[in-house]
Amino acid sequence: MTTRSTPPADPAEARRLFREGLVTPTAGWAPGFTQANTVIVPSEYAYEVLLFSQRNPRPCPVLDVSDAGSPRTALAPDADLRTDFPAYRIWRDGELAEETGDVRDHWRDDLVTFLIGCSFTFETPLLAAGIEVRHITAGTNVPMYRTGVECRPAGRIHGPLVVSMRPIPADRVAEAVRISGRFPSVHGAPVHVGDPTGLGITDLGKPDFGDPVEIRPGEVPVFWACGVTPQAAIMASRPPFAITHAPGHMFITDVPDARYAV
């Protein structure tokens, strides 16, 4: 497996490392460039996934949709969507069947790729403002939780909202809300601040995806809609076949974050 001690600043270099076998969460990689989640489904499900995303834009802000069978995206024209994520998940009938760094052996001419905005994009401006992002400091994956909030269904696709969590000092929460709110195409402002039971989350120490992080005295858990929501929908809806990224292991695009700022 390829290793690297420090993340590269260049998106193409990051993608090359992933093609060569590096598996790592991508928070903090290629700062200033947009990262994306993915869900890849047979074309017979593509309309329903698109409609699910349109009805649930906070967790599922669509940045690009491929042509059927195409492994290309306008977000990084030289990239290959079959190899350039650090880790993928293969789903069969809603069950996780395999995790791999290369899905060329699973590729089909009817597969449609959705690239969905990621909250890692607004972490760079949070850091620039002096707001710590705890999972980057710790070198771990961001904690993500299934909530008790159901998304609006679309045909056969349904499932719960997934959120990511970052501890924020109480006196910086308003600033974190303002900064992330400038990026509605990558989840935007938080969906919840404070007591996690309001989302149906009972134990912050046991995320459904990713790794737990320390919440220090004077800090408040802040929750953002998360692009892992389509994976929870796959688990709930049980389509016969799908491919996603492994949570926290994103596609790094060539698009500057500033393009999505408002």
Side-chain angles (χ1 to χ4, degrees):
M1 179 183 295
T2 303
T3 60
R4 186 183 175 108
S5 58
T6 57
D10 179 60
E13 173 67 7
R15 296 192 297 267
R16 181 187 68 79
L17 290 169
F18 302 150
R19 282 195 301 274
E20 292 180 353
L22 178 62
V23 178
T24 181
T26 54
W29 280 62
F33 290 92
T34 297
Q35 300 196 25
N37 306 269
T38 195
V39 57
I40 304 169
V41 295
S43 56
E44 68 166 299
Y45 279 86
Y47 173 73
E48 287 159 285
V49 170
L50 184 63
L51 186 58
F52 182 83
S53 301
Q54 188 273 333
R55 289 178 173 176
N56 301 281
R58 295 291 293 278
C60 305
V62 174
L63 304 183
D64 195 23
V65 183
S66 77
D67 293 325
S70 173
R72 304 299 176 187
T73 173
L75 304 181
D78 69 341
D80 189 325
L81 296 170
R82 302 169 299 180
T83 59
D84 288 7
F85 284 75
Y88 301 82
R89 286 183 163 184
I90 308 299
W91 301 86
R92 299 188 187 280
D93 298 316
E95 300 290 334
L96 179 60
E98 182 182 347
E99 194 162 296
T100 179
D102 185 328
V103 297
R104 285 177 292 184
D105 288 346
H106 299 277
W107 201 254
R108 299 168 11 183
D109 290 341
D110 67 334
L111 293 179
V112 177
T113 300
F114 292 80
L115 292 171
I116 292 170
C118 172
S119 59
F120 289 174
T121 298
F122 60 66
E123 289 180 344
T124 300
L126 289 177
L127 291 168
I131 299 174
E132 182 190 5
V133 178
R134 184 66 39 76
H135 58 272
I136 292 180
T137 302
T140 58
N141 202 351
V142 62
M144 295 160 273
Y145 305 85
R146 270 191 292 253
T147 73
V149 179
E150 284 294 314
C151 292
R152 185 181 172 194
R156 293 166 288 182
I157 305 300
H158 60 91
L161 171 69
V162 175
V163 294
S164 60
M165 189 278 292
R166 295 160 184 80
I168 304 292
D171 62 351
R172 306 295 301 274
V173 168
E175 189 176 1
V177 170
R178 178 182 59 78
I179 290 170
S180 58
R182 293 176 50 228
F183 296 88
S185 295
V186 291
H187 304 308
V191 296
H192 186 77
V193 175
D195 184 1
T197 61
L199 291 172
I201 300 168
T202 58
D203 188 350
L204 290 179
K206 295 180 179 179
D208 296 289
F209 312 94
D211 303 309
V213 295
E214 178 187 11
I215 301 177
R216 298 170 184 163
E219 293 180 336
V220 177
V222 180
F223 301 88
W224 281 265
C226 179
V228 175
T229 296
Q231 296 190 37
I234 286 169
M235 296 165 73
S237 307
R238 305 179 70 83
F241 181 77
I243 302 172
T244 68
H245 66 295
H249 297 66
M250 304 299 180
F251 180 71
I252 300 178
T253 78
D254 292 337
V255 180
D257 294 337
R259 182 177 299 181
Y260 294 110
V262 297

